[in-house]
């Protein structure tokens, strides 16, 4: 098996090793050579000698066929009378998950710090202790960002005589747990912000989207030369900073509105509830790069890597940025002049009037933004654990979760980390007690430096892209296992959506009140809380967006992925703050850790289904249906403007019709009739299923962001956290706007070219299932 970690002592079980053909032949040859042919040659006529050699050759063929059938053709599902899925469901322990989380949240573990390495090594030790075959920490030398020690980043109000009238705290006060007093907690900052001191008037720009700036310009208000006051939400914070800079702002102050962070009772906040206190502020990076190390784009940040110059890097902001608490933002809002009131839809629940600015109420007063941040090359670590398969050890089912956090990260990400460790423990236990191994290899991945732009997962996929392209079956991502306790949420590629549904039907409902109403499984609550609008007997399952570690696997390599967890409504209020603590997880969000347990059970059962099924459980019909719907939607939204400029979707439609026909033929005439005892047939079918997603990968990348390669699934250029079907095409259409081909010939040429690529790749995907050229 290809070595996904640096090699350590391989204690692979002898049961993994099938008959050694070379050894068999050698022994057979020795047996023949030891015959006393001088005694037998008078007894054997020439015809008898021929028969003897024929029997020998037949034995060789017999042994060879046995090896192939034993390795690839045997139905692994029927080899184990033990119900592994039920054992997993029974053995995953709430106490173990709680214990794991308690350790993970004892200290902050920002990427690139000593605590980051300690936790990476602790994960490695837990993997080995569980009984995985291999485990190791994998280092990458990457660019990260930190506040300067002892210097507070702050926002101040300066009066007309240059005196400081008000200053933000610069750090979040401890409120609930002893660990909140740790000296290792970094004061408020936003990674990759520019350093500097700027002073001026303030413009409230709502969510800081392009349409918000266009609205301001329509009212004659220009943010250029002023500080932008930007409400968090709607789009990624890095996109907000990029737009503020583009429209001429000299700095950006980020804040969360009370409407997203508090309940009706404004005093009912952490540590009494999960609502954010007024002094809480969100950490988070504000870079505008797609993922991975800034200095080694497209390639892994290993020792031999070439690094580009950090100076004037287009992915780094040129203006200072700082997030503040909503109580601090209210002070700024109260000082903005009322001459330009904000539109009603820009209002939230702040205890202050919503005015746009730019002038302040008091003549001569200014706002000062003071930020001191240093970008540094540091080492971050992934931890990789491997449980090798017994039949197809060169096929990988990958589980992933990031480990780093801005502070304690009890929910994001450590609820997932604690669950992953428990899954590894249970798998190892079943391996020992039941002599079980999965048919295919299972890989556990604990990513470092996710919060700095998915660095760990991108570096690993860049380093192993060629092998992952050949051997990875699917990627199962849990960024945050539990961010609430209302219901499951799930996002997935079309081929894997049914896997989420089928698995949820097997998992006991963690909510005792739901069980009282007859909803006994996770699925029952899920479909009750979030029913699909078009398929009434299915829960709503979204498409993968951006901002999590499936990006490198799915949008670059073309590996189908799933992302899921338990939630309430949207992001939990204390996310990215000091108050994402063990107290929050254990006493407020998930008492008894029963929702953690449900997610761990889901994760483990899906991994077993993908690793143990003889034929991969991929729903190809769902892919054809999804593409049909997506093309129809594309036609309805943009078909008119395309035709007005002489551009047609005709060739895409022809290719898609061929793809639909090929998928139906494959499903009805191939999948349903495959002989599970035929080793080559099983391997051939699984390869077609596994490689289908790869056919949607354009090695040249998408037109506006070539670092992303998937023509169907990707994120938008205007917001790296927002998903669009056919994102490369949609981005071009949005970019060209109302311009005709005469106005913008270059973009219209790109549109035509990209449409031809889409048509070609969809057609090739269909041909791959038919097996013809």
């Amino acid at each position: 098996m290809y070595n996904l970690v640096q090699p350590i002592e391989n204690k692979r079980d002898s049961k993994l090793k099938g008959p050694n053909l070379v050894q068999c032949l050698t022994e057979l040859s020795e047996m023949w050579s030891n015959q006393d042919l001088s005694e037998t040659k008078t007894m054997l006529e020439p015809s008898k000698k021929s028969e003897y050699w024929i029997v020998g050759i037949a034995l060789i063929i017999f042994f060879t066929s046995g090896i192939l059938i034993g390795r690839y053709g045997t139905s692994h599902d029927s080899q184990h009378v033990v119900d592994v899925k039920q054992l997993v469901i029974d053995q995953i322990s709430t106490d173990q998950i709680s214990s794991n989380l308690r350790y993970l949240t004892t200290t902050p573990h920002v990427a690139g710090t000593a605590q980051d390495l300690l936790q990476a090594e602790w994960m490695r030790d837990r993997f080995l202790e569980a009984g995985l075959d291999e485990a190791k920490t994998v280092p990458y030398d990457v660019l990260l960002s930190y506040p300067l020690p002892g210097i507070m980043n702050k926002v101040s109000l300066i009066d007309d005589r240059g005196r400081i009238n008000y200053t933000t705290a610069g750090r979040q006060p401890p409120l609930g747990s002893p660990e909140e007093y740790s000296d290792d907690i970094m004061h408020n900052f936003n990674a990759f912000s520019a350093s500097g001191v700027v002073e001026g008037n303030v413009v409230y720009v709502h969510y800081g989207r392009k349409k918000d700036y266009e609205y301001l310009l329509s009212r004659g208000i220009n943010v250029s030369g002023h500080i932008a006051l930007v409400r968090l939400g709607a789009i990624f914070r890095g996109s907000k900073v990029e737009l503020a800079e583009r429209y001429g702002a000299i700095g950006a102050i980020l804040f969360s509105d009370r409407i997203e962070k508090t309940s009706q009772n404004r005093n009912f906040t952490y540590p009494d509830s999960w609502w954010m206190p007024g002094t809480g502020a969100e950490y988070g990076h504000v870079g505008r790069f797609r993922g991975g190390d800034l200095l080694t784009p497209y390639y892994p940040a290993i020792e031999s890597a070439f690094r580009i110059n950090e100076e004037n890097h287009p992915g780094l902001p040129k203006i200072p940025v700082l997030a503040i608490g909503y109580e601090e933002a209210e002070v700024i809002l109260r000082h903005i002049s009322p001459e330009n009131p904000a539109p009603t839809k820009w209002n939230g629940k702040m205890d202050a009037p919503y005015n746009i600015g730019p002038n302040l109420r008091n003549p001569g007063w200014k706002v000062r933004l003071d930020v001191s941040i240093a970008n540094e090359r540091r080492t971050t670590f992934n931890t990789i654990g491997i449980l090798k398969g017994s039949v197809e050890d060169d096929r990988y089912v990958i589980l992933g979760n990031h480990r780093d956090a801005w502070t304690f990260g009890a929910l994001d990400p450590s609820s997932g980390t604690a669950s992953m460790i428990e899954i590894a423990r249970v798998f190892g236990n079943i391996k020992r007690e039941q002599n079980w191994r999965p048919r295919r290899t299972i890989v556990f991945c604990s990513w470092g430096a996710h919060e700095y732009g998915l660095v760990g997962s991108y570096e690993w996929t860049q380093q192993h892209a060629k092998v992952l392209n050949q051997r990875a079956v699917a990627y199962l991502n849990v960024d945050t296992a539990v961010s609430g306790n209302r219901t499951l949420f799930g996002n997935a590629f079309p081929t894997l959506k049914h896997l989420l549904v089928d698995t949820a039907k097997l998992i006991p409902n963690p909510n005792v009140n739901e069980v009282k109403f007859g909803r006994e499984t996770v699925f029952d609550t899920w479909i009750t809380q979030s029913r699909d609008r078009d398929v009434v007997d299915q829960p709503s399952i979204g498409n993968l967006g951006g901002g999590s570690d499936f990006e490198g696997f799915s949008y670059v390599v073309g590996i189908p992925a799933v992302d899921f967890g338990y939630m309430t409504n949207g992001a939990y209020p204390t996310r990215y703050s000091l108050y994402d603590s063990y107290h929050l997880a254990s006493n407020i969000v998930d008492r008894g850790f029963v929702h953690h347990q449900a997610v761990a059970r889901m994760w483990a059962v899906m991994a077993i289904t993908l690793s143990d099924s003889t034929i991969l459980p991929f729903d190809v019909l769902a892919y054809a249906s999804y593409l049909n719907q997506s093309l129809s939607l594309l036609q309805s939204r943009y078909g008119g403007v395309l035709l007005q400029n002489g551009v047609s979707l005709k060739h895409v439609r022809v290719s898609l019709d061929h793809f639909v026909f090929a998928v139906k033929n494959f499903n009805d005439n191939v999948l349903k009739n495959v002989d599970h005892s035929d080793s080559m047939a099983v391997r051939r079918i699984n390869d077609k299923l596994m490689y289908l997603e790869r056919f949607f990968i354009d090695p040249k990348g998408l037109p506006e962001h070539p670092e992303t390669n998937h023509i169907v699934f990707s994120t938008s250029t205007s917001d790296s956290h927002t998903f669009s079907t056919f994102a490369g095409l949609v981005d071009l259409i949005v970019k060209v706007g109302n311009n005709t081909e005469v106005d913008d010939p270059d973009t219209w040429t790109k549109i035509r070219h990209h449409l031809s690529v889409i048509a070609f790749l969809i057609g090739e995907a269909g041909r791959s299932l038919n097996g013809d050229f």
Side-chain angles (χ1 to χ4, degrees):
M1 191 185 95
Y2 175 79
N3 197 16
L4 293 172
V5 300
Q6 299 301 317
I8 62 172
E9 183 184 359
N10 188 353
K11 298 182 179 179
R12 188 176 179 182
D13 292 354
S14 60
K15 292 179 71 68
L16 283 173
K17 299 178 181 177
N20 187 312
L21 181 57
V22 175
Q23 182 181 348
C24 291
L25 294 176
T26 302
E27 291 175 358
L28 187 59
S29 174
E30 290 174 354
M31 178 182 73
W32 288 338
S33 65
N34 290 334
Q35 297 285 340
D36 189 348
L37 296 181
S38 64
E39 295 179 3
T40 61
K41 96 173 144 179
T42 57
M43 299 170 58
L44 294 174
E45 300 296 330
S47 61
K48 295 292 185 180
K49 291 180 181 179
S50 299
E51 290 175 4
Y52 185 82
W53 284 103
I54 290 170
V55 169
I57 293 170
L59 286 170
I60 294 171
I61 295 172
F62 174 79
F63 279 124
T64 304
S65 300
I67 292 168
L68 291 173
I69 292 172
R71 181 169 177 82
Y72 299 118
T74 304
S75 177
H76 188 76
D77 308 3
S78 62
Q79 287 183 344
H80 302 283
V81 292
V82 62
D83 186 344
V84 178
K85 293 179 183 178
Q86 190 57 53
L87 283 175
V88 164
I89 291 172
D90 293 342
Q91 291 188 23
I92 285 180
S93 163
T94 56
D95 289 342
Q96 290 287 343
I97 295 173
S98 173
S99 177
N100 295 337
L101 189 65
R102 177 68 274 187
Y103 170 80
L104 290 164
T105 55
T106 53
T107 184
H109 40 284
V110 179
T113 63
Q115 293 82 6
D116 180 27
L117 174 58
L118 287 173
Q119 290 207 357
E121 292 176 336
W122 183 81
M123 289 286 291
R124 176 203 61 202
D125 294 344
R126 299 291 76 73
F127 285 159
L128 292 173
E129 183 182 86
L132 300 190
D133 299 296
E134 298 181 25
K136 194 171 182 74
T137 58
V138 182
Y140 294 103
D141 179 0
V142 298
L143 187 72
L144 301 179
S145 180
Y146 307 93
L148 294 182
I151 302 175
M152 291 292 177
N153 299 315
K154 53 188 179 292
V155 176
S156 305
L157 277 170
I158 310 299
D159 67 18
D160 55 349
R161 299 176 64 181
R163 297 173 302 187
I164 297 175
N165 183 270
Y166 169 80
T167 298
T168 57
R171 67 184 312 150
Q172 301 165 63
L175 296 175
S177 303
E179 58 265 25
E180 293 171 21
Y181 291 87
S182 170
D183 292 335
D184 294 324
I185 296 167
M186 297 182 184
H187 53 260
N188 297 347
F189 80 109
N190 292 103
F192 299 120
S193 164
S195 290
V197 180
V198 295
E199 195 172 296
N201 289 333
V202 174
V203 178
Y204 170 51
V205 298
H206 196 218
Y207 287 120
R209 300 163 295 187
K210 181 178 179 181
K211 65 180 183 180
D212 297 326
Y213 287 102
E214 294 301 314
Y215 170 78
L216 290 173
L217 289 173
S218 73
R219 288 182 55 175
I221 302 171
N222 194 335
V223 75
S224 181
H226 305 306
I227 297 172
L229 181 63
V230 194
R231 179 171 162 181
L232 288 166
I235 63 173
F236 171 53
R237 76 182 73 80
S239 301
K240 295 174 185 290
V241 174
E242 180 180 13
L243 285 164
E245 189 177 312
R246 186 186 305 171
Y247 281 89
I250 60 173
I253 301 170
L254 311 179
F255 75 97
S256 295
D257 197 285
R258 281 184 184 266
I259 198 169
E260 285 102 17
K261 296 295 184 180
T262 62
S263 67
Q264 294 300 318
N265 181 355
R266 296 188 175 192
N267 296 319
F268 186 54
T269 59
Y270 182 90
D272 300 317
S273 74
W274 78 339
W275 298 107
M276 179 81 97
T279 52
E282 287 194 13
Y283 297 93
H285 90 82
V286 292
R288 45 177 176 260
F289 44 95
R290 281 283 157 178
D293 177 39
L294 242 146
L295 304 184
T296 59
Y298 303 102
Y299 296 97
I302 56 180
E303 184 179 0
S304 60
F306 172 80
R307 288 171 170 80
I308 62 177
N309 197 332
E310 177 189 342
E311 189 176 353
N312 298 319
H313 193 293
L316 291 172
K318 304 296 189 298
I319 60 175
V321 183
L322 182 64
I324 61 177
Y326 59 77
E327 286 183 354
E328 297 170 323
E330 285 172 341
V331 175
I332 307 300
L333 280 170
R334 292 188 197 113
H335 281 81
I336 297 177
S337 172
E339 61 200 29
N340 289 313
T344 303
K345 62 183 178 181
W346 285 24
N347 293 352
K349 290 291 181 69
M350 299 286 275
D351 187 15
Y354 287 82
N355 295 309
I356 293 174
N359 295 325
L360 298 184
R361 286 178 179 270
N362 299 323
W365 283 43
K366 302 292 180 184
V367 170
R368 178 185 295 163
L369 173 60
D370 187 350
V371 175
S372 297
I373 286 177
N375 298 333
E376 302 177 26
R377 276 178 56 185
R378 291 200 188 179
T379 302
T380 191
F381 299 87
N382 295 335
T383 302
I384 309 298
I386 296 176
L387 177 60
K388 295 180 181 177
S390 61
V391 180
E392 297 181 80
D393 65 348
D394 62 340
R395 293 293 181 260
Y396 311 147
V397 175
I398 304 170
L399 285 67
N401 158 264
H402 76 92
R403 187 187 60 258
D404 65 306
W406 293 116
T407 56
F408 308 107
L411 299 183
D412 181 6
S414 299
S415 61
T417 312
S419 300
M420 176 184 281
I421 299 168
E422 174 61 359
I423 293 169
R425 184 193 69 82
V426 170
F427 280 6
N429 190 50
I430 297 172
K431 176 189 128 185
R432 284 189 299 271
E433 294 185 353
Q434 303 295 334
N435 200 27
W436 165 84
R437 277 185 179 274
R439 177 187 178 94
R440 302 176 184 91
T441 294
I442 297 175
V443 183
F444 295 86
C445 301
S446 173
W447 308 121
H450 160 105
E451 298 295 3
Y452 284 88
L454 316 180
V455 173
S457 58
Y458 257 96
E459 298 311 305
W460 197 75
T461 53
Q462 288 168 352
Q463 184 172 8
H464 301 291
K466 300 293 186 183
V467 171
L468 291 171
N469 177 65
Q470 294 172 352
R471 303 179 187 179
V473 172
Y475 176 69
L476 307 179
N477 189 67
V478 173
D479 190 314
T480 303
V482 177
S483 60
N485 52 31
R486 182 174 67 92
T487 186
L488 190 77
F489 77 89
N491 302 307
F493 272 45
T495 48
L496 294 178
K497 288 187 177 183
H498 78 102
L499 179 64
L500 274 169
V501 172
D502 293 345
T503 307
K505 292 177 180 179
L506 302 176
I507 308 303
N509 199 323
N511 189 325
V512 293
N513 292 323
E514 287 288 293
V515 174
K516 289 177 183 177
F517 286 99
R519 296 188 276 272
E520 297 183 351
T521 68
V522 166
F523 171 84
D524 296 329
T525 294
W526 188 13
I527 194 170
T528 301
Q529 294 283 348
S530 180
R531 190 180 298 272
D532 190 274
R533 290 178 297 177
D534 300 317
V535 186
V536 294
D537 62 344
Q538 297 291 322
S540 176
I541 302 176
N543 298 305
L544 294 175
S548 196
D549 294 295
F550 50 75
E551 281 196 26
F553 289 91
S554 297
Y555 301 156
V556 178
V557 183
I559 298 167
V562 166
D563 181 56
F564 69 101
Y566 249 83
M567 61 170 283
T568 298
N569 289 305
Y572 60 98
T574 51
R575 189 184 186 199
Y576 296 150
S577 77
L578 174 64
Y579 311 116
D580 190 356
S581 64
Y582 182 80
H583 167 72
L584 175 75
S586 61
N587 296 323
I588 298 172
V589 175
D590 190 20
R591 295 177 182 175
F593 288 89
V594 292
H595 296 87
H596 285 73
Q597 182 187 51
V599 172
R601 286 168 164 173
M602 282 275 300
W603 206 359
V605 170
M606 282 195 290
I608 292 168
T609 302
L610 287 165
S611 61
D612 264 3
S613 300
T614 302
I615 300 297
L616 292 174
F618 286 3
D619 187 355
V620 290
L621 289 175
Y623 217 133
S625 175
Y626 179 81
L627 286 178
N628 243 334
Q629 294 172 3
S630 298
L631 184 58
S632 297
L633 183 61
L634 188 73
Q635 178 71 53
S636 66
R637 285 184 177 176
Y638 303 113
V641 69
L642 291 173
L643 281 176
Q644 289 172 12
N645 289 274
V647 178
S648 171
L649 296 173
K650 176 183 66 175
H651 294 298
V652 178
R653 170 49 65 188
V654 170
S655 292
L656 183 52
D657 288 344
H658 169 74
F659 179 80
V660 171
F661 173 82
V663 164
K664 293 178 71 174
N665 177 68
F666 180 78
N667 186 77
D668 297 343
N669 300 318
V670 180
L671 272 182
K672 292 181 180 178
N673 298 312
V674 64
D675 181 358
H676 286 212
S677 67
D678 184 337
S679 61
M680 291 295 97
V682 168
R683 186 74 165 188
R684 185 166 56 250
I685 295 303
N686 280 337
D687 281 354
K688 288 186 176 184
L689 289 166
M690 189 177 76
Y691 291 131
L692 178 63
E693 203 69 58
R694 317 290 202 267
F695 278 88
F696 299 106
I697 293 296
D698 180 3
K700 298 289 188 181
L702 300 187
E704 295 298 293
H705 43 109
E707 66 277 10
T708 300
N709 304 82
H710 204 298
I711 62 159
V712 179
F713 296 104
S714 185
T715 52
S716 165
T717 53
S718 61
D719 179 9
S720 61
H721 283 201
T722 300
F723 162 82
S724 293
T725 307
F726 301 122
L729 179 63
V730 172
D731 284 340
L732 288 171
I733 295 172
V734 171
K735 177 183 177 182
V736 80
N738 296 323
N739 293 325
T740 66
E741 187 163 19
V742 174
D743 302 321
D744 191 353
D746 289 343
T747 303
W748 280 107
T749 298
K750 288 182 181 179
I751 289 172
R752 285 187 170 85
H753 180 262
H754 192 56
L755 273 172
S756 73
V757 172
I758 292 172
F760 167 68
L761 293 179
I762 291 175
E764 289 304 297
R767 274 181 278 278
S768 76
L769 294 176
N770 283 335
D772 54 19
F773 285 102

